[in-house]
Amino acid sequence: MVGNLTMGVAGVAASILSNSEALMVDGLFSLVGFFSAMVAIRVGRQSAAGADADRPFGYAMDEAVFTTFRSLSLLGLVVFAFTNAVAKIAAYAGGTTPAPVRFEVIGVYTFVICLICAGLWFNHHRSWKKTGEASDILKLEARAAAFDGAITGCAGVGFGIVFLLQGTSLAFIAPVGDSIIVVVLCLVASGTYWSDFKSSMGEVLGVSASQDVVASVHRVVTEVVTKHDVDLVDVAVLKAGRTFSTAVYVNPKAAISGLQVDAISTEIRTVLLKQFKQAEVLVIVSESGRESFKPV
């Protein structure tokens, strides 16, 4: 939070001093990171909580909801910055000359911000590894820090190129060099944040976990179920944040008690917890599996 707030304030201040819109966008990205971190602290603690009267299926989905809106807010910022930059380029083409960029501040700003981003990435990545690579929040924040540093570094290089263009045959580009850099950065950033948004939105909507995860869980379930007097009908796996929820549909070959069903569930969950940080298992006695949920 301290790192993001520092970069946010520095970006806004450097933008005002240098008259650069690209630095303003860079600072706003960091401020979004600061405010989202305030929410992430609570979400990270709460997502590990078990089921209660208010949330009968636990709080795992909170992490997926957070990453969805975090990505969406960044996409909104990208669209805003892109639109602004294109409008400035269009105005320049129409004869309006923008205020010149002052390059003196940009070099110092670029070096300091890249250094902070490297530290933030290292911290988030190390913490993510400590969670067993389970926390989507830490994974997203590590990626955001690395991407923020890359954006700032590329912007610095871009400004260097714009500075060198002055006095050459391409000097006409210099007045909108700042806006061109913003457009390029937004195009690059949109791909990453759109990918994060689709992934987290899929979790919120209940899309099945990846094929690799489903196949891995299916193998575990099959090994456990074959020890009991039941037939495996179907397996469904959902990912919500760091929690993998598995529904196992079984058809008993003979009379079965609730205690036996609980034993199967516990055994499967014990094995899955060796692979995943958090796992939930629900064993459902059924002859048709998910087919029973289809509309008549």
Side-chain angles (χ1 to χ4, degrees):
M1 288 174 64
V2 172
N4 276 299
L5 182 59
T6 301
M7 291 191 298
V9 172
V12 173
S15 172
I16 295 171
L17 292 173
S18 65
N19 206 20
S20 167
E21 186 177 309
L23 299 192
M24 177 65 75
V25 172
D26 199 36
L28 291 177
F29 271 116
S30 298
L31 288 177
V32 169
F34 167 72
F35 289 113
S36 66
M38 296 175 66
V39 180
I41 291 174
R42 181 175 179 181
V43 172
R45 291 170 179 167
Q46 186 168 284
S47 62
D52 56 28
D54 293 328
R55 302 284 289 273
F57 292 100
Y59 294 81
M61 191 59 71
D62 288 10
E63 193 167 344
V65 172
F66 168 79
T67 53
T68 298
F69 282 96
R70 168 82 157 85
S71 302
L72 190 60
S73 64
L74 290 170
L75 280 172
L77 183 56
V78 165
V79 171
F80 171 76
F82 179 84
T83 305
N84 247 11
V86 170
K88 284 194 172 185
I89 294 173
Y92 176 65
T96 303
T97 303
V101 173
R102 293 187 286 273
F103 294 94
E104 296 83 2
V105 181
I106 296 175
V108 177
Y109 171 83
T110 301
F111 176 77
V112 173
I113 297 304
C114 286
L115 199 62
I116 294 175
C117 285
L120 287 175
W121 173 84
F122 177 77
N123 179 63
H124 293 319
H125 187 74
R126 181 183 59 179
S127 300
W128 178 60
K129 286 289 185 181
K130 287 183 178 180
T131 70
E133 301 183 1
S135 172
D136 279 356
I137 291 179
L138 288 171
K139 181 180 179 182
L140 179 64
E141 292 300 330
R143 181 182 295 180
F147 197 75
D148 196 8
I151 283 179
T152 303
C154 290
V157 172
F159 278 117
I161 295 173
V162 170
F163 178 76
L164 293 175
L165 289 178
Q166 294 176 332
T168 69
S169 58
L170 296 176
F172 68 93
I173 297 177
V176 286
D178 180 49
S179 296
I180 293 173
I181 290 171
V182 171
V183 169
V184 173
L185 294 181
C186 286
L187 289 175
V188 174
S190 60
T192 299
Y193 294 135
W194 178 249
S195 175
D196 289 336
F197 173 71
K198 286 197 301 181
S199 175
S200 54
M201 179 58 80
E203 294 181 17
V204 173
L205 295 176
V207 175
S208 177
S210 67
Q211 293 183 355
D212 292 343
V213 170
V214 173
S216 176
V217 172
H218 199 283
R219 284 193 296 269
V220 170
V221 171
T222 302
E223 291 176 5
V224 173
V225 166
T226 52
K227 303 175 186 177
H228 301 269
D229 198 21
V230 297
D231 290 325
L232 179 61
V233 178
D234 199 1
V235 177
V237 186
L238 300 178
K239 179 181 180 295
R242 70 189 72 184
T243 302
F244 290 84
S245 299
T246 304
V248 181
Y249 299 87
V250 298
N251 187 18
K253 299 176 183 178
I256 190 171
S257 68
L259 186 62
Q260 289 172 294
V261 173
D262 289 343
I264 296 173
S265 176
T266 301
E267 189 174 348
I268 293 172
R269 184 171 184 269
T270 300
V271 179
L272 289 181
L273 283 174
K274 296 177 181 178
Q275 299 182 33
F276 309 119
K277 192 70 175 180
Q278 291 176 212
E280 297 173 350
V281 178
L282 179 64
V283 176
I284 304 168
V285 176
S286 173
E287 188 175 346
S288 56
R290 279 178 282 183
E291 293 293 323
S292 60
F293 291 99
K294 290 185 175 181
V296 179

